[in-house]
Amino acid sequence: TLEEAQDFLNGETLVPYFHSFLLTSTLLCETFRLEESIRIKDSMRIAELRKKVPGTARKAVKICRKVAYERVETYRLIGIYHWICGNQKKGVKWWEKALQESDRLGAGVERAMTLVEVASRFSQQNSRYREIDHMTIDGMKEEAQRIYNRVDKR
């Protein structure tokens, strides 16, 4: 499990490239555990994860300064965290960072994944947002589909 991996690594020096995978995986699991806890209204778990996720996110961002490979995914997950905690504005800012970084790095698949996530979140009934980077929800879905089709042809 991720907890066992973290226990094993406590006190060990890990190459940033490998550490980035551990932190991104941990951030992914914690974020989606938080979302599930919110869905089932598990207040104890929600409180625990709302304290835990920001620390993991800070560590992941710090490592991603050195390792570009996980940067877009990390920004996307931090956006999800803020969104599910009710801070839509902060979530959108992190997703904008993820999209800008995906363009800068030429990370098409990560861009498509971010667009699909954002379109899904913006489609929710409680969303105050309908577009990002001058793209509507339909525009995001179309661009993501174009990217996936381009990757399929390779």
Side-chain angles (χ1 to χ4, degrees):
T1 67
L2 287 172
E3 287 83 14
E4 290 170 335
Q6 287 171 333
D7 288 344
F8 175 77
L9 294 171
N10 278 345
E12 297 291 322
T13 302
L14 191 61
V15 176
Y17 177 77
F18 297 115
H19 199 191
S20 70
F21 290 115
L22 175 63
L23 286 171
T24 304
S25 299
T26 303
L27 183 58
L28 173 73
C29 289
E30 289 175 356
T31 301
F32 285 101
R33 283 181 186 150
L34 175 59
E35 187 166 30
E36 180 63 15
S37 299
I38 290 169
R39 190 184 67 73
I40 64 171
K41 296 175 176 55
D42 182 349
S43 58
M44 295 280 287
R45 184 79 172 196
I46 292 168
E48 172 194 333
L49 289 166
R50 282 189 73 148
K51 289 179 185 173
K52 197 174 185 181
V53 174
T56 304
R58 269 191 302 281
K59 290 175 190 171
V61 168
K62 185 176 178 181
I63 286 291
C64 284
R65 289 184 193 131
K66 300 175 189 171
V67 183
Y69 186 80
E70 291 289 318
R71 202 172 293 152
V72 177
E73 179 73 2
T74 298
Y75 294 171
R76 184 178 69 83
L77 290 169
I78 295 172
I80 293 170
Y81 166 75
H82 286 294
W83 185 273
I84 63 177
C85 287
N87 194 338
Q88 292 183 3
K89 186 176 183 178
K90 256 189 175 175
V92 170
K93 285 186 180 194
W94 280 100
W95 289 329
E96 287 172 340
K97 276 180 87 161
L99 292 171
Q100 290 167 359
E101 195 64 18
S102 68
D103 287 343
R104 194 178 77 73
L105 296 172
V109 173
E110 287 77 9
R111 179 178 178 79
M113 289 170 52
T114 302
L115 289 169
V116 169
E117 182 68 45
V118 173
S120 169
R121 300 294 175 166
F122 283 8
S123 297
Q124 294 173 347
Q125 190 173 3
N126 68 337
S127 174
R128 295 189 319 261
Y129 294 87
R130 292 290 177 238
E131 64 178 55
I132 192 170
D133 202 20
H134 306 292
M135 272 187 287
T136 63
I137 294 169
D138 289 336
M140 290 179 242
K141 291 177 182 176
E142 289 168 10
E143 183 175 341
Q145 189 61 54
R146 276 194 305 275
I147 293 168
Y148 288 136
N149 288 342
R150 210 171 32 236
V151 170
D152 265 355
K153 291 178 183 175
R154 289 182 188 170

